[in-house]
Amino acid sequence: MRGLEVVPSGRPGRGRLYVNRPDGRAVAWYDRRTNRISVLADDRREAVLAALRPYLSGGWTIGPPPVPTAADLRRLTLRTDQDLAPNRPGERLLGELAYGSPGSRTRHRMRQELRARERMGAELDLLEESEAHWRALHDIPLPGLGLLDHLLIGPPGVLVVRTVPGRRQRARVGDLLLTVGRGEPTPDPRWIRRAATYAARVLTAPVTPVLALADASRVEVAPTVRDVLVLQPPTAAATLTAAPVTLKPPDIEALFTLARTHPTWSGG
């Protein structure tokens, strides 16, 4: 079969490789964790193998797919331009820095924000790669709110994460405002609560708001802040993996499939 395209299901090096027709519909996929190729129609086997040949290694197997879950069926109809999973941490900032023309002060601030998002994003991606049943997304557009830095789905539940550069200064988290060093207070605690409320509505699941302070010398959290989780790289993953389990693996996959779909957020 001619015109097949190999498309990753997430960031490079993880997850599945899908073999899609020109219209974006999948005819097969290669699961790199199990080294198995699942083909939807046996008469396309040779064409699928030809498309995947550069990506295969070791003792791979090929055959019909297992009975698909609801999440699998939803993913098979997802067009590549609707998939948020390939987004890198700070994807939008990378584009603005590369192709925009901000002033020097704005560019410096954007670079600080990008480093913070990349650092936190790398920790979440490593958690996804090294631990079972964790899924991370980055740069999710929320109508009326802007861009959500990270969304994490795992055994403890769904978490929305706003990352703030600590700039090696003391950070103070209050009920309504966040202050880093001697800078002006910002409404990040209120913003992440609103983002969590929006995400809970569109995903129909409880969502925990999270503030991640990257490179802060010290973080002080007001005792009245009980609904917002405050994390710091590089200890964020250890905190998350120690949290109580609330979601089972099938629920994690179903929520991840829903969350990675762009229309999920635009239609909320």
Side-chain angles (χ1 to χ4, degrees), residues 155-173:
V158 183
L159 303 97
V160 291
V161 184
R162 186 170 181 88
T163 304
V164 179
R167 304 194 298 272
R168 299 182 181 178
Q169 299 181 54
R170 182 180 66 169
R172 289 163 290 177
V173 182

Side-chain angles (χ1 to χ4, degrees), residues 10-11 83-91 125 136-141:
R11 287 164 297 284
D83 192 0
L84 296 170
N87 285 359
R88 297 166 294 176
E91 186 84 37
D125 288 346
L137 293 167
H138 310 287
D139 272 31
I140 298 174

Side-chain angles (χ1 to χ4, degrees), residues 149-220:
D149 297 337
H150 317 283
L151 183 138
L152 186 67
I153 306 172
V158 183
L159 303 97
V160 291
V161 184
R162 186 170 181 88
T163 304
V164 179
R167 304 194 298 272
R168 299 182 181 178
Q169 299 181 54
R170 182 180 66 169
R172 289 163 290 177
V173 182
D175 281 310
L176 302 179
L177 299 172
L178 165 67
T179 306
V180 176
R182 296 183 179 180
E184 288 293 322
T186 58
D188 293 286
R190 285 179 286 175
W191 189 96
I192 198 61
R193 288 190 185 99
R194 292 175 61 197
T197 299
Y198 185 90
R201 184 166 71 249
V202 300
L203 298 177
T204 62
V207 175
T208 300
V210 179
L211 287 174
L213 279 300
D215 297 315
S217 61
R218 188 172 70 197
V219 177
E220 299 173 358

Side-chain angles (χ1 to χ4, degrees), residues 87-110:
N87 285 359
R88 297 166 294 176
E91 186 84 37
R92 182 78 58 86
L93 283 173
L94 284 165
E96 291 176 359
L97 285 168
Y99 303 108
S101 54
S104 58
R105 292 186 64 180
T106 301
R107 181 174 290 274
H108 177 70
R109 175 184 55 78
M110 291 170 64

